[in-house]
Amino acid sequence: MKQPAFDLNDITHEPSDEQLDTLMEAVAMEARKHAQAAREQLMIRLRAEILAINPPRPQA
């Protein structure tokens, strides 16, 4: 069942525990996505820096 929308700034109508749980899970999911993207970008930069310092040797 879809929960009705709520406004966190509306102090006269507090959100239900289920609505808050849903909100917290959505925030956590977005944070995990952003963290994964940041990790991927850092690994790309790290690999590029390692290759710049220590380029692969030509194979004989």
Side-chain angles (χ1 to χ4, degrees):
M1 182 171 95
K2 184 168 174 29
Q3 295 287 331
F6 64 93
D7 181 0
L8 285 174
N9 295 319
D10 182 359
I11 60 172
T12 60
H13 300 98
E14 293 185 3
S16 68
D17 288 344
E18 293 83 16
Q19 288 173 317
L20 289 175
D21 286 343
T22 300
L23 175 63
M24 288 187 295
E25 185 55 40
V27 169
M29 188 181 320
E30 286 299 314
R32 285 190 291 270
K33 279 196 247 181
H34 285 282
Q36 180 63 31
R39 274 191 297 277
E40 290 170 3
Q41 287 300 313
L42 285 171
M43 288 304 294
I44 289 169
R45 286 179 43 203
L46 178 61
R47 286 186 187 107
E49 289 180 14
I50 289 171
L51 284 174
I53 293 169
N54 187 17
R57 295 184 194 134
Q59 295 182 357

